[in-house]
Amino acid sequence: MGADGAPSQSVPWRKVLWERQPFPDNYVDQRFLEELRRNEGIREYRYWAVVKEASLVGQQLSCVAIFITFWLYMEQGLLAPETLLWTSLVCGLLGYGLYQAFTSQTDSCSETRTHLADLQSAALFLSFTFGFSPVLKTLTESVSTDTVYAMSAVMLLAHLVSFPYGEPSPPGSLSLNAALFASVCLASRLPGALHTFAMLSCALLVFALWPCLLQRLRENSPLQFTGVCVGVCTGGVGGLASQSLGGAVLLSLAVVSVTFLCPLLLVWLQRHKDNIHGPWDEAEICEDLSHFLH
Amino acid sequence: MEEEAFTDINGKPITLDCHSHSSFCREFTVSSPKVSIGKVMVYTCSVWLLAYAVFFFTQNTAVLSSAILITLVGMMLHIHFVKVDHESLLVIGSLGIQVSSSYASGREVTTFIEMSKIKDIVINEAIYMHQIIYYLCVLLKEPFEPNEVSSVVPLFQSSKPRLGCLVKVYKSCQEILSTCQ
Amino acid sequence: MVLKIFFPQCCNRADSGLLVGRWIAGHDSAVVLAVIHYPFIPGQVKQYIQQMQAQSGVELSVLGSWSLPKEGQEGLESFLRDLSTIFPQERWLQISRQMGKTGFTCEVLSRDQTGGSARRSNEAEAKKESKDGGDGEEEAEEKVIFVHYEQRKVMLSQLHPIANENPENKSEPSTELREMFQTVAHSQPLFFLDKYDDGLLKSTHWQSEGREASIIVELMKQASVPLCIFISWLLSVWTWTCNIWIFSVFPLCFLSSILSTFIQLSYRTEHMRTLSSPKSAEGHTQFMRKANILVSVLVDVALGVFLMSWLYRDDHISMLADALVPAADHVAQQLEELLQWLMGAPAGLKMNRALDQVLGRFFLYHIHLWISYIHLMAPFIEGILWYGGLSACFGLTFALSLLSDMVALFTFHIYCFYVYGARLYCLKIYGLSSLWRLFRGKKWNVLRQRVDSCSYDLDQLFIGTLLLTILLFLLPTTALYYLVFTLLRLVIVLFQGILHLSVDFINSFPLFAAGLRVCRSYRLAEGVKFRVLCEEPGTALHLLMEINPLKFSSVVRTYRTPTYSCYPKDSWAALVKKLFIGELIYPWRHKTTKTD
Amino acid sequence: MGQRRRAGAVKTLSSERDSADVARICNRKHNICMVSDFFYPNMGGVESHIYQLSQCLIEKGHKVVIATHAYGRRRGVRYLTNGLKVYYLPLQVMYSQSTATTCVHSLPLLRCVFVREQITVVHAHSSFSSMAHDALFHAKTMGLNTVFTDHSLFGFADLSSVLTNKLLTITLCDTNHIVCVSYTSKENTVLRAVLNPEIVSVIPNAVDPTDFTPDPSQRPADRITIVVISRLVYRKGIDLLGGIIPELCLKHPDLHFLIGGEGPKRLVLEEVREKYQLHDRVRLLGALEHKDVRGVLVQGHIFLNTSLTEAFCMAIVEGASCGLQVVSTRVGGIPEVLPDDLITLCEPTVRSLCDGLEQVIAKQRSDSFPSPASIHNRVRNLYTWKNVAERTEKVYDKVVGEEVLPLAKRLRRLRSHCGPVAGSIFAFVAMLDFLFLLLLQWLLPDRFMDVAVDATGPHGLWRQKTSRKKFD
C-alpha cells in the first residue's frame, strides 16, 4: 500500500485500512465525505407552542412586579399590614385548597406530605418570621438606602435568572433564597415590625408557594394555565401602573418581548441552523441505563 | 602550559589555560574577561545621574551621598561575591580533584574531592534559563553501592564554556583517570 | 597506581636517618611521622616503635630511609640499602635530597629483591609484577607524589563532617585523608620525645613548645574536678526541691509550663548537668558542646551582671516602678478611647447600633476591672521589680524571660479581648459559610469530604435565608472589633517574640566554636586544598597540603546547641488564613517540643 | 532546582564521552523532532505511537529527538533505547497533562532544540496537546517544514470543540502535511481545519504483533470469558457495559467478565456488581501495565469494545492479534480496522450489543470459529510499525522538498484562510512571534549554540559507547 504510482482505477477504492490498496496515502476518492449528513434529528419549533412555554417567564416577571407593587404600597403607608396579612392568609388557604384538589384529582399515590406536616411548616414560617421581624427591622438601618435597593434589585434579578422555568416546583434553592434575601432587605426598610412580618409572609406566598400551585395547574389544565399567566401579567402591569407608569410600560414591553418576540426570533433563526454529522460523532446513549443500577 | 581562546555559551570570549605539572597532574584554568572599566563607568554614571535628578527635585544632599555609598558598596559586593575572575580544576591522579574559583576581589573558594568518592567525569546536558547547554560535571559515588551516583558537582559554573572547551578538558581528565585507575 | 608520601614539613631539613610512619592500607600511601637520626641501635628502634604503637594504637613501622647528605657523609647509599634488610618491609622507601635541589628523589625497593642491586629499571619491573596493568616504562619519580603537611595543624584539626566515634557502626568507609588525619592525630605520644632530653634515640618531628602552659592547664583540670562535684551536688538538691509534690499540683505545673522563666530555668539546669558531669568529654562533639555551653553561660552571666549594675545604680528600679503604673493607666485610657470610637461610627463605617453598644459596654467593663486590678497591685510593683532584677545575676536570659512573662501578665486584658473577639468572629464565619452553602443549594458531605448538591425543604430554605441575612448584616460589627483587638494582640506577640528570639540566640549560639574558627581556623577543617610546590624536571611532584577551614554557616549549623526553638510555628500564609477564619493564634511553638 | 535537574539528568551518563563529530549529521536523511505533550511517563495510544515510530525511524537511519513537557521531577534531557533523545522542557502544565498555550512563551526553548539538533522536519502529535500547536506555529516562524498527526475525533456541536477546531484551523493552515490514523479521522480533520484533502495522508496506527501472541491454553475450558480493556470513562461507553453485564450474566451462567482499566466510571461497574451479586463472575483488574495486557487478553474468548467514539481502536487489533473474537460498536474508524469476519459490529445500544454478543457466544459454543493461531496469523501482518515508518518516511520526503511560506505570504494566508477575526488576530500573533524570534536571535545568535552530539541510530555514538563500556 502507499505506492505513489498512478492509481490504477481498475480496482475500486474501499474505505478500509486492513488491506493494502494501490492508492497513495493521500488519495482522495469521489466517495470522500459521502457519509456527511446535515441537520439530522433537529426538532422544528412551532411558534405558538414556544409562546405558550415562554408565557411562564412573563408571569414570573410580573410576579416580581406584583411583589414590588405591594412593597411600594406598604412603604407609602397606603396599605395597612393587617389587610395584607389577611389577604395573604386567605390567598394561602385558597391556594392550598386548590393544590389539594389538583393532587387528589391527578394521583394521590405519590402524595407523601400529610396535612399535619404542611401545618407544621406553616407554623414554623409564621413563628420564625414573627420572632425575627424586630431584628430584621433594625438590621439594615445603618446601611444606606441605595445600597439596600441595589442589593435587592440584584437579588431579584438573580431570582429571575436562576428560576427553574422548566419545572417550577420545587423551587430552585438559589432562586428562592435570592428572592427571600431581597424581600428581607426591602422589608427591613418598612416603618414597623408588623409591616416586615406581613411583607415576608407575602414574599413567602409569592415566591415559594405560588410556583408549586402553578406547576400543578400547568400539569392538569393547560388552558387555565395560560389564562392564569395572562391574568398575572395584566395584574402585574396594572399594579405597577397604579404606582409608576414608566415602570408599567417597561414591564409590559419586557413581558411582550419575552413572550412574543423572542419565540419569533427563535423560530426565524431555525432556518440558519447547520449541523454537520458523520461517523466521527460521539454516539450518545439514548436509552435510560439507570434502571440497571436502581 | 598553553593558552587557548574559547567562547562561553553567550559568545563572550574566555581563555582556557592547561598546565601540566606531571603526567598525572594537570591544572585547567578557565578565566573570563576582567570586569570592564567602561561597564563600571556606565553603571556608576547612571546611578549618579539618577541621584542627581532626585537631588534636583528634592534639595536633599543625603541623596547624593547615599548614591555614592550605594555605588561603592555595590561594586564591593559585586567583585567579592558575583564576579568570578577565573575557575580552575586541578586533577591529581589517584589523589583527587580540586575545584577552585577565585573572585575578582581575590577571594578564593576551594573544594577538594577525593578519588575514592569520584565515580566519573562526564559532559552533561541541562536546561539553563531559556537555553540548553552542555556542562562538565563530576559524578560522586554512593558510599555503599559504588555503582550508584549520589550527587553531581558541576564544574566551571560561573564561566560556562562551550562544548569545544569542555571536550578538551574532558579528554585530558579522562586520560588521567584511566591511567590512574 | 601512584605512590603518595605524606611528608611533614618540619622534617625537610632533618639529618639523615630512618623514616618512621605508617602505610595506609588499601590506598597505597605512606604517612611519614618522624625521622630517627643516626646513630641508633636497630633493636632499640624496634622496641621504641613497639612501645609507641602500644601507646598510640597506630600500627607504626619503619618506612625507609631519609638521607640529607652533608659534607663528609658520602657513600651512604649502600648502607641505607642494607638497612632495608634490617627492617624488613614489603616496600622500602629511600628518600634522598641533594643540597642544591629543592625537590626530593625517592626510590621504592620491594622486598623480593635483595637490597644490594636495586636499580630503578628492575625495580620498575618489580612494580610491574606487584601491580598488573601499570605501564612500567614510566620513570619512578613520576609515580611518586610528595605531599607536604604541617604536622601540628593536621594533628590538632578535626575533619568535618565528623565521623562518629564509636567504631561498630561506621557511617561510611573512611577515606584516605581521614585515615591520614587520624594517624597523625593518634600518634601524639610519638611527638613527646623531646629533642633536648638525651634519650637513646634522637628524632625530628613537631616539638610542642611551652610545656609550662600545658602544666597550668593540667592544674586547672585538677582543680575543676571538685568544682564539678560541688555543682552537681547543688543540682541534685535543686532537682529534689523541684520534684516535691507541691510543684506537681495543678496550677503550679501549669504555670511552669507556660511561664518562660521556668522554662529557661529548667533549660539552664540541664546545661549545668551536662557541664558538671565529672567524667571528661569523650569525642570531639561532646567536648565542643560542653565548651560552647560553658562559654555561652559565662557570657550570659556577664551580661546579666552588667545589667544589674546598671539597674541598681542610682535606683533606676524605683523610677521604672513609678513609670509603670501610669503607663498601665495610660494604656487603659487609650483603650477606652478606642472603644468609645468603635461604639460611634468608626472610620465612617456604619455598624449595627444595638450590637455595637452591647459589645462596647462589655469591653469597657473589662477595662474597668483591669484598672482596678492594677491599682490593687501598684504598691507591690517596686518590690517585684527589685527581686526580679536580682534574677539577672543568673544571666541576661533570665532577666529577659522574666520581662516577657511580666509583659504577658500586664497585658492579660488585651489577650482576653482578643479571645472574645476571635471566638465571636469564628462562630459567625462558620455559620455564614455553612449558610452560604445552603443558599447555593449545596451541603458539606462529611463522609466524602466534599460539597454535594442537595435539595432542601421549603422551611429549611426559608429559615436558613433569614439567618444568613441576619449574620451577614451583623458581620461588619464583629469583624471590626475582632480586627482591632487582633492588631493589639499581634503587637504584644511581636514584642514577646523578639524577647524569645534573643534568649534563644544567647542560649544556642556556639560562641566557642566561632571563636575557634576565628583564631585557630585550622582546628575545624572542612577539607584540604593542595598547592603545587615546585616541579623540576626529573624530580617527583611536590604538593603542599593546606587545611581548608570550615565555613561560618556550617560552623553554626554543626555546633548550634539544640534548644527549645521558638520560631514561628506556621508559615505566613497559614497565619493569615487562621487570622481570617478567626482561629486563636499562638505563634510561638509550644515550648516543650525540643528541636535540634 | 538546577542541582535537582542535573541530578536527574545524570541518566545520560557518559553518552557524550567522545567529541561531537558534526560530520555524522550530514549523511542523515532527515532530522526529525517529534513534539507532543503526551509522552512517557504518561501512558496511552499517542505515547506508544510516538515511541514506536521514533524507534523505527532511528532504525532506518534518521535522527529523531522528542520534545515534551517536564513530568514532575523528570525534567531536562534523557536518553531512551537506541539513544532516542527526549527533551523534557520545563513548561507550565495547565490541565490533563496539557501545557498552557500563549503561542509565544515556549519559543526560546523550542528554538534551542530545533537549532542545536539541526532539525529539518517538525512532527507534532495529537490535537489535544497545545505544545504541539505551539511547535507548529514556531516551526513556521523559524522556516521549518512541519507534519501533524491527528489521533482523535472531534464533534462540531459543543463550544469547546468549536474553539479547538478554530485553533486547529489556525495551526494547520500552513502545515505542510497532515497524517490521520483512519479515513474517518481524515474526513473529520479535513472538515475541522478546513483543509485541502490532498495534503492529508491516512497512515493507520500499528501494534507490535510479537507482544500479542495467542495462548489458548490459558483459557479456562468450563466458561466463556469476555475481556474488556479500556479506560473506565464515559467516552469508552462504560455505561453501556454496565447495562450489558447483568443482561448477559442472567442468561448465561457460565459467562465471565474480565475488565482491565481504571477511571471515574469504575463506580458504575462496582454498583452493578453489587446489585446483581456478580463478584465471582465480574473481575475488575484496575489499571494495567502495557506488558500485562497480553496476559489478560489470552485468558478470554471474546474481546468487547463499547467505545462511543474512536479514531483507530488499537485495543481491538490487540485483541484480535491474541486470537479473540472481537465485538465492537460501529463508531468512528472502527469499521475500517478489521475485516468483517474478524469483528462483529453493533450499534452503540445495550440491545444491539447484547444481540451481537449472543451470536458470538453461540458460535463460540459450537466452536465454529477459526483457531486463535490462524486469526493471529491473519492479523499479524496487517499493521506493523515498520510499514507505518515507511509511509511516514514518504511523507517526510515529500515535505522536505516544499518551500516554507515567507512571513508576508503566511500572514496573507492566515487572514484569508482562518476568517477575518481570528485570522487577523493570529496574523498579529505570528508577527509577535517573528519579532520575538528576532529578539532571541539578537540576544543569542545561532552560531553560539553548540550543535548537539548525535548519539542516535544503529551506528550512533550510543552503540559504540555501550560496546566500549562493556569491555572496559
Side-chain angles (χ1 to χ4, degrees), chain D residues 153-204:
Chain D
L153 298 177
F154 257 90
F156 298 84
D158 54 349
L159 184 64
S160 72
S161 55
V162 168
L163 289 179
T164 325
N165 295 349
K166 201 60 184 172
L167 186 59
L168 199 70
T169 321
I170 288 150
T171 45
L172 294 193
C173 87
D174 52 1
T175 301
N176 300 74
H177 210 92
I178 290 94
V179 177
C180 294
V181 292
S182 66
Y183 292 104
T184 312
S185 152
K186 174 175 177 175
E187 292 172 346
N188 178 282
T189 309
V190 167
L191 285 175
R192 280 163 63 199
V194 194
L195 288 171
N196 164 20
E198 292 293 336
I199 66 162
V200 184
S201 296
V202 174
I203 302 177

Side-chain angles (χ1 to χ4, degrees), chain D residues 151-404:
Chain D
H151 293 263
S152 46
L153 298 177
F154 257 90
F156 298 84
D158 54 349
L159 184 64
S160 72
S161 55
V162 168
L163 289 179
T164 325
N165 295 349
K166 201 60 184 172
L167 186 59
L168 199 70
T169 321
I170 288 150
T171 45
L172 294 193
C173 87
D174 52 1
T175 301
N176 300 74
H177 210 92
I178 290 94
V179 177
C180 294
V181 292
S182 66
Y183 292 104
T184 312
S185 152
K186 174 175 177 175
E187 292 172 346
N188 178 282
T189 309
V190 167
L191 285 175
R192 280 163 63 199
V194 194
L195 288 171
N196 164 20
E198 292 293 336
I199 66 162
V200 184
S201 296
V202 174
I203 302 177
N205 267 338
V207 298
D208 192 348
T210 57
D211 289 357
F212 296 96
T213 52
D215 179 6
S217 64
Q218 297 275 337
R219 302 180 171 182
D222 58 343
R223 60 177 72 159
I224 289 184
T225 312
I226 297 181
V227 183
V228 178
I229 291 179
S230 77
R231 285 176 294 113
L232 304 182
V233 295
Y234 174 78
R235 287 166 66 90
K236 298 291 183 182
I238 299 306
D239 307 83
L240 288 175
L241 185 59
I244 294 165
I245 290 174
E247 291 253 322
L248 288 178
C249 282
L250 295 185
K251 280 213 192 77
H252 306 277
D254 64 342
L255 195 64
H256 288 248
F257 278 88
L258 206 56
I259 300 170
E262 200 41 81
K265 286 288 182 181
R266 186 191 174 102
L267 280 176
V268 175
L269 297 180
E270 276 172 354
E271 280 175 4
V272 167
R273 202 166 62 163
E274 290 290 332
K275 185 171 178 218
Y276 296 91
Q277 309 283 317
L278 295 171
H279 295 80
D280 53 342
R281 295 170 60 185
V282 178
R283 280 173 54 204
L284 296 175
L285 302 174
L288 288 178
E289 292 283 329
H290 185 262
K291 59 177 177 10
D292 310 337
V293 170
R294 189 245 173 191
V296 176
L297 281 174
V298 292
Q299 294 174 29
H301 303 81
I302 303 169
F303 184 85
L304 175 61
N305 169 45
T306 57
S307 298
L308 302 181
T309 171
E310 281 284 358
F312 175 98
C313 191
M314 271 170 141
I316 59 174
V317 182
E318 292 169 357
S321 171
C322 283
L324 274 69
Q325 283 303 318
V326 179
V327 177
S328 173
T329 46
R330 183 184 283 104
V331 294
I334 289 180
E336 312 167 24
V337 174
L338 285 176
D340 305 338
D341 53 347
L342 291 183
I343 187 170
T344 316
L345 291 170
C346 316
E347 293 312 312
T349 63
V350 174
R351 183 76 268 116
S352 149
L353 277 166
C354 285
D355 297 343
L357 282 167
E358 291 281 352
Q359 296 167 12
V360 176
I361 290 168
K363 275 171 126 180
Q364 186 72 41
R365 291 189 193 286
S366 67
D367 52 33
S368 57
F369 278 132
S371 74
S374 61
I375 300 179
H376 173 71
N377 290 332
R378 283 195 55 194
V379 176
R380 194 176 61 206
N381 300 326
L382 291 188
Y383 305 105
T384 60
W385 286 114
K386 200 161 161 306
N387 172 26
V388 172
E390 283 165 3
R391 292 158 75 170
T392 318
E393 199 176 12
K394 285 208 188 62
V395 173
Y396 293 149
D397 294 335
K398 189 129 86 42
V399 162
V400 167
E402 300 176 3
E403 57 100 26
V404 183

Side-chain angles (χ1 to χ4, degrees), chain C residues 355 359 363 417-433 471 474-484 486 576-584:
Chain C
L355 184 62
L359 289 175
F363 286 124
F417 294 167
Y418 167 69
V419 170
Y420 301 143
R423 286 271 174 258
L424 205 59
Y425 179 78
C426 182
L427 214 64
K428 275 226 158 93
I429 289 289
Y430 182 72
L432 268 179
S433 60
L471 284 187
L474 290 188
L475 182 64
T477 318
T478 26
L480 191 67
Y481 274 85
Y482 171 66
L483 181 71
V484 170
T486 310
V576 170
K577 183 170 173 297
K578 275 187 169 180
L579 283 178
F580 182 74
I581 63 172
E583 264 183 58
L584 289 184

Side-chain angles (χ1 to χ4, degrees), chain A residues 9 14 36 84 139 154 233 261:
Chain A
Q9 295 302 337
R14 294 171 58 203
L36 178 67
L84 182 62
L139 213 50
V154 168
C233 292
L261 296 187

Side-chain angles (χ1 to χ4, degrees), chain D residues 38-54:
Chain D
F38 310 112
F39 193 66
Y40 176 83
N42 206 17
M43 273 302 178
V46 183
E47 289 82 351
S48 62
H49 179 98
I50 295 174
Y51 177 74
Q52 300 278 11
L53 181 58
S54 314

Side-chain angles (χ1 to χ4, degrees), chain B residues 1 17 34 46 50 70 82 86 91 103 111 113 115-116:
Chain B
M1 175 78 182
D17 163 9
K34 298 267 175 292
S46 52
L50 194 77
I70 285 171
V82 181
H86 62 269
V91 183
Y103 290 79
T111 54
I113 310 168
M115 199 52 89
S116 58

Side-chain angles (χ1 to χ4, degrees), chain D residues 410-443:
Chain D
R410 187 185 177 203
L411 297 186
R412 211 169 298 125
R413 179 164 171 72
L414 271 167
R415 298 280 306 287
S416 63
H417 190 270
C418 312
V421 183
S424 16
I425 291 173
F426 277 88
F428 178 67
V429 175
M431 273 304 295
L432 281 186
D433 205 30
F434 184 70
L435 291 179
F436 190 39
L437 179 66
L438 287 186
L439 175 69
L440 287 175
Q441 277 170 342
W442 177 71
L443 284 177

Side-chain angles (χ1 to χ4, degrees), chain A residues 240-241 243-253:
Chain A
L240 208 53
Q243 275 296 324
S244 74
L245 266 179
V249 173
L250 282 181
L251 176 66
S252 49
L253 277 182

